[in-house]
């Protein structure tokens, strides 16, 4: 049976970042990536894709370090430096400056990473089954073995399921509705987030001109209603709900898509010969757009850990070797999750209305929370201080 | 059988009390176990070895070498050296350590060949039987558990190739080491099992130097190392409470 050092399940931005970092280090012999989807094609001239990601300074550094940043279709990478948060019920608003973040389409990032990674990768190849016997490596789909199996296979992770790692958390009973829209203005430097009267955030994230992407958090009833509307009807509702400061929308550019919102944490990120990263390990409310950024941070921490242990001649699949990754990643992800719940609850607090009215004021005065929110856009202090693969 | 032979041996390097203690250690390889600090120390040791050998730490960086690991414990360093390409012979006088090391070696199919072998034997016995010499000898955290340091070092000298490198790490015999290791690490922080160390048996770098010198071995590099209780990592330090050294044989003119 063929033996790989590392096998990565899931060629999303997180799994690919890890693969690219490992390849750049030249420390491992054999890395393989599997994904069940067809090899994605990115149409550089086409309309924008619904699925976009807000990329922080920390994630950008990781993408740069593996050479993927330069491979992005630059005309479709949009920097924004301000975010305005307001409430449809209140007078206050918050403004964050110097965020140094970028809004980039999912497909653009995946495509850039695929361009730098030239190791083994198999599309249309699904993880069905893993087997771990004592004194053996992990057997995947009865076909090959690997010393370390990485689950970067998203929030329905098969790797997590197969290794019996539990999950705790809850569903928000909300959906995130995403689509691309065309703005009436040409100001692509400001992102807007409005808290609607039911406490749900509606975000307008600037893509390259004249497009923006919306992420609308909706309860199940509202979700069904919003998805049932025609484009013209949806446009009217959207324009009526966007906050005072946001530009008006001219037209809807593509089909609405939706994904369930949940706050999930895998009980463990590691097990003997197994590690989970990205959405497979945790998924959060997309409010602050941190899903992928937390995942890229996982990938960087795990790459550091694997490279370091491999250089020291340790067994990279051993729990001792992976422990450092788990403790560092959990620290970072828990603090981010807690901060996000705090912010979410401040805005959703319906019982104590004076507090809710003061929502923005409170956050403005709560320095630690504001700090954390600013860090969303910039460099995270708990991120890796160095990248072992560029040494 | 071997055990009886060892006990009979008149002038031995084996400290029986320490040997009994090592026979009780069950968690050489358990996560968060009492030996976890050793696992993190391994990064620094391997880095040190590469620095001294002047080899970049990449891929099978130790290929072509034959190493002797004296006092293998659970086999942490022996396994590392093997994965980095060296042929490895690991010896220990604790039955438990050798058994643990063999069992653990079997968990990694890559190590399943004769290029990593473990033997229950003392260094002086090995030096009598073995005519082969080694490129690298490591005696990490061992001499503080050893009786008869002169015999121990003499045996190391016999087994080291003329151009080979000898690595020794240990704990200094100082008031600070008493506070830090015995009181601090064993009793307060409990990162190391109680009774693991007998301060009376610790050796200063000067004591080691004296014995090495008698065998015409030089200390090339001597560095202090320090355990960071906060992040669990070992790092170099100006403080020589714990030290690591690289040695080589004096050139014959
Ligand atoms: C429609 C949509 C819109 C989103 N919008 C936003 C947003 O605006 N802002 C934001 O921050 N986040 C958003 N997210 C979440 C964000 O996309 C994720 O947090 C991020 O992509 C996580 O990356 P990942 O690589 O961990 O997982 P994913 O990107 O989910 O990648 C997982 C990969 O694993 C593959 N896979 C799964 N199972 C198997 C298997 N058994 N065998 C082989 N391969 C498998 C999948 O095909 C997929 O390619 C959105 C998600 C969705 C679905």
């Amino acid at each position: 049976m063929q033996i790989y050092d590392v096998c990565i399940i899931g060629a999303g931005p997180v799994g690919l970042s890890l693969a690219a970092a490992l390849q750049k280090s030249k420390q491992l012999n054999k890395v393989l990536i599997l994904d069940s989807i067809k090899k994605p094609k990115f149409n550089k001239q086409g309309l924008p894709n619904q699925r976009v990601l807000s990329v922080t300074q920390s994630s950008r550094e990781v993408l740069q370090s593996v050479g993927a940043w330069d491979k992005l279709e630059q005309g479709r990478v949009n920097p924004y430096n301000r975010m305005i948060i307001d409430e449809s019920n209140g007078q206050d608003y918050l403004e964050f400056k110097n965020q140094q973040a970028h809004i980039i389409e999912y497909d653009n990032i995946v495509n850039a990473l695929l361009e730098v990674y030239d190791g083994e990768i198999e599309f249309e190849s699904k993880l069905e089954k893993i087997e771990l016997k004592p004194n053996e490596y992990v057997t995947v789909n009865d076909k090959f073995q690997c010393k370390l199996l990485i689950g970067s296979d998203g929030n329905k992770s098969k790797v997590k399921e197969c290794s019996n790692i539990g999950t705790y958390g809850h569903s928000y009973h909300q959906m995130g509705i995403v689509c691309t829209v065309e703005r009436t203005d040409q100001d692509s430097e400001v992102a807007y987030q409005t808290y609607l009267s039911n406490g749900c955030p509606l975000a307008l994230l600037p893509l390259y001109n004249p497009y923006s992407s919306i992420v609308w958090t909706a309860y199940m009833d509202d979700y069904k209603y919003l998805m049932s509307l025609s484009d013209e009807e949806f446009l009217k509702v959207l324009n009526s709900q966007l906050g005072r400061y946001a530009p008006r929308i001219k037209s809807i550019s593509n089909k609405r898509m939706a994904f369930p919102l949940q706050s999930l944490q895998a009980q463990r990120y590691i097990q003997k010969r197994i590690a989970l990263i990205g959405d497979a390990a945790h998924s959060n409310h997309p409010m602050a757009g941190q899903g992928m950024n937390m995942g890229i941070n996982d990938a960087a921490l795990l790459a550091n850990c694997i490279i370091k242990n491999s250089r020291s001649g340790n067994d990279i699949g051993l729990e001792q070797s992976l422990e450092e990754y788990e403790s560092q990643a959990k620290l970072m992800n828990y603090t981010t999750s807690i901060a996000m719940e705090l912010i979410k609850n401040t805005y959703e607090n319906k019982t104590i209305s004076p507090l809710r009215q003061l929502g923005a004021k409170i956050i403005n005065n709560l320095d630690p929370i504001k700090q954390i929110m600013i860090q969303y856009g910039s460099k995270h202090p708990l991120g890796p201080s160095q990248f072992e693969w560029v040494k | 059988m071997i055990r009886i032979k060892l006990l009979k041996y008149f002038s031995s390097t084996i400290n029986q009390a320490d040997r009994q203690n090592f026979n009780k250690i069950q968690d050489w390889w358990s996560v968060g176990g009492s030996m976890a600090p050793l696992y993190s120390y391994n990064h620094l040791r391997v880095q040190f070895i590469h620095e001294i050998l002047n080899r970049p730490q990449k891929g099978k960086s130790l290929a072509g070498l034959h190493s002797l690991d004296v006092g293998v414990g659970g086999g942490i360093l022996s396994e590392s050296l093997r994965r980095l390409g060296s042929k490895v012979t690991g010896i220990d006088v604790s039955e438990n350590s050798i058994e643990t090391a063999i069992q653990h070696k079997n968990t990694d199919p890559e190590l399943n060949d004769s290029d990593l072998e473990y033997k229950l034997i003392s260094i002086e016995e090995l030096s009598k039987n073995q005519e082969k010499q080694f490129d690298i000898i490591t005696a990490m955290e061992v001499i503080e558990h050893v009786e008869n340091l002169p015999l121990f070092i003499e045996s190391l000298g016999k087994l080291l190739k003329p151009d080979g490198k000898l690595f020794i790490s240990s704990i200094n015999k100082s008031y600070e080491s008493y506070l830090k290791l015995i009181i601090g690490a064993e009793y307060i922080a409990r990162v190391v099992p109680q009774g693991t160390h007998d301060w009376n048996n610790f050796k200063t770098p000067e004591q080691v130097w004296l014995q090495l010198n008698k065998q015409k071995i030089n200390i090339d590099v001597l560095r202090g190392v320090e355990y960071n209780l906060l992040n669990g990592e070992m790092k170099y330090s100006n403080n020589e409470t714990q030290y690591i050294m690289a040695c080589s044989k004096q050139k014959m003119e």
Side-chain angles (χ1 to χ4, degrees), chain A residues 27 41 70 75 97 139 221 277 350:
Chain A
Q27 179 60 34
K41 283 201 198 82
D70 294 337
K97 283 189 186 144
T139 309
D221 288 344
I277 54 176
K350 296 182 196 81

Side-chain angles (χ1 to χ4, degrees), chain A residues 153-194:
Chain A
D153 48 350
N155 56 17
K156 292 193 200 77
S157 172
K158 184 82 180 163
V159 176
K160 182 167 74 177
E161 184 195 317
C162 290
S163 27
N164 291 319
I165 295 177
T167 308
Y168 48 84
H170 55 90
S171 160
Y172 289 111
H173 306 291
Q174 289 172 335
M175 300 291 281
I177 300 171
V178 291
C179 73
T180 313
V181 298
E182 197 177 323
R183 274 180 268 115
T184 47
D185 71 357
Q186 294 283 318
D187 185 0
S188 66
E189 284 179 7
V190 195
Y192 301 90
Q193 183 148 297
T194 302

Side-chain angles (χ1 to χ4, degrees), chain B residues 9-24:
Chain B
Y9 192 63
F10 179 60
S11 175
S12 159
T13 62
I14 302 171
N15 178 323
Q16 290 303 337
D18 277 9
R19 190 174 138 261
Q20 297 304 338
N21 268 326
F22 277 106
N23 272 338
K24 286 188 223 138

Side-chain angles (χ1 to χ4, degrees), chain A residues 137 147 312-313 320-321 323, chain B residues 29 31 39 43 80 83 108:
Chain A
Y137 297 136
K147 295 176 186 171
S312 299
Q320 280 95 333
S321 305
E323 228 189 348
Chain B
W29 287 99
V31 181
Y39 197 80
H43 290 300
S80 277
R83 281 197 198 87
D108 185 354

Side-chain angles (χ1 to χ4, degrees), chain A residues 1-248:
Chain A
M1 219 179 265
Q2 173 83 270
I3 293 177
Y4 292 91
D5 290 314
V6 173
C7 173
I8 299 169
I9 309 297
V14 174
L16 286 171
S17 295
L18 174 68
L22 292 180
Q23 188 182 42
K24 185 129 210 275
S25 77
K26 298 203 172 74
Q27 179 60 34
L28 302 178
N29 284 327
K30 286 179 80 65
V31 176
L32 171 71
I33 313 178
L34 293 190
D35 200 305
S36 48
I37 56 167
K38 275 209 175 99
K39 184 171 180 177
K41 283 201 198 82
F42 176 54
N43 182 354
K44 293 175 180 175
Q45 269 76 49
L47 276 173
N49 190 278
Q50 291 93 331
R51 204 168 164 183
V52 303
L53 300 161
S54 171
V55 179
T56 59
Q57 186 60 21
S58 299
S59 297
R60 179 186 173 177
E61 281 171 18
V62 174
L63 293 172
Q64 277 170 333
S65 74
V66 299
W69 188 263
D70 294 337
K71 303 277 181 188
L72 289 167
E73 179 57 28
Q74 293 299 331
R76 298 177 78 138
V77 171
N78 187 57
Y80 71 99
N81 48 31
R82 288 201 295 151
M83 182 180 236
I84 292 177
I85 300 180
D86 70 346
E87 295 182 86
S88 56
N89 277 7
Q91 295 304 313
D92 284 311
Y93 77 99
L94 273 169
E95 183 171 341
F96 294 110
K97 283 189 186 144
N98 294 326
Q99 288 227 356
Q100 284 189 308
H102 292 79
I103 307 280
I104 309 172
E105 294 152 273
Y106 184 93
D107 292 354
N108 197 358
I109 296 180
V110 166
N111 186 65
L113 283 163
L114 283 173
E115 267 184 45
V116 292
Y117 176 77
D118 58 9
E120 283 185 66
I121 182 160
E122 280 179 31
F123 284 102
E124 297 174 72
S125 188
K126 193 174 179 175
L127 172 77
E128 310 269 4
K129 163 176 178 203
I130 66 177
E131 211 176 345
L132 184 54
K133 291 196 197 131
N135 300 350
E136 276 187 23
Y137 297 136
V138 198
T139 309
V140 177
N141 292 348
D142 295 321
K143 262 170 62 188
F144 60 88
Q145 291 189 318
C146 59
K147 295 176 186 171
L148 176 60
L149 180 72
I150 315 271
S152 50
D153 48 350
N155 56 17
K156 292 193 200 77
S157 172
K158 184 82 180 163
V159 176
K160 182 167 74 177
E161 184 195 317
C162 290
S163 27
N164 291 319
I165 295 177
T167 308
Y168 48 84
H170 55 90
S171 160
Y172 289 111
H173 306 291
Q174 289 172 335
M175 300 291 281
I177 300 171
V178 291
C179 73
T180 313
V181 298
E182 197 177 323
R183 274 180 268 115
T184 47
D185 71 357
Q186 294 283 318
D187 185 0
S188 66
E189 284 179 7
V190 195
Y192 301 90
Q193 183 148 297
T194 302
Y195 285 87
L196 306 179
S197 51
N198 62 356
C200 287
L202 165 59
L204 187 69
L205 308 171
L207 272 173
Y208 58 98
N209 276 326
Y211 300 105
S212 273
S213 178
I214 63 158
V215 184
W216 192 331
T217 302
Y219 284 103
M220 295 317 270
D221 288 344
D222 292 342
Y223 150 74
K224 279 178 204 146
Y225 168 70
L226 290 170
M227 292 299 276
S228 72
L229 297 175
S230 70
D231 278 358
E232 291 88 67
E233 292 166 333
F234 183 70
L235 180 65
K236 270 193 208 136
V237 180
L238 178 64
N239 272 326
S240 73
Q241 295 294 311
L242 279 171
R244 282 183 292 289
Y245 306 95
R248 296 305 104 178

Side-chain angles (χ1 to χ4, degrees), chain B residues 119-141:
Chain B
K119 288 184 182 161
L120 180 66
I121 191 170
S122 68
I123 184 82
E124 61 272 19
E125 283 292 311
L126 188 79
S127 72
K128 271 197 264 167
N129 302 338
Q130 180 134 356
E131 57 292 355
K132 202 176 153 24
Q133 291 179 317
F134 297 89
D135 302 290
I136 298 177
I137 299 183
T138 56
M140 304 295 202
E141 313 312 301

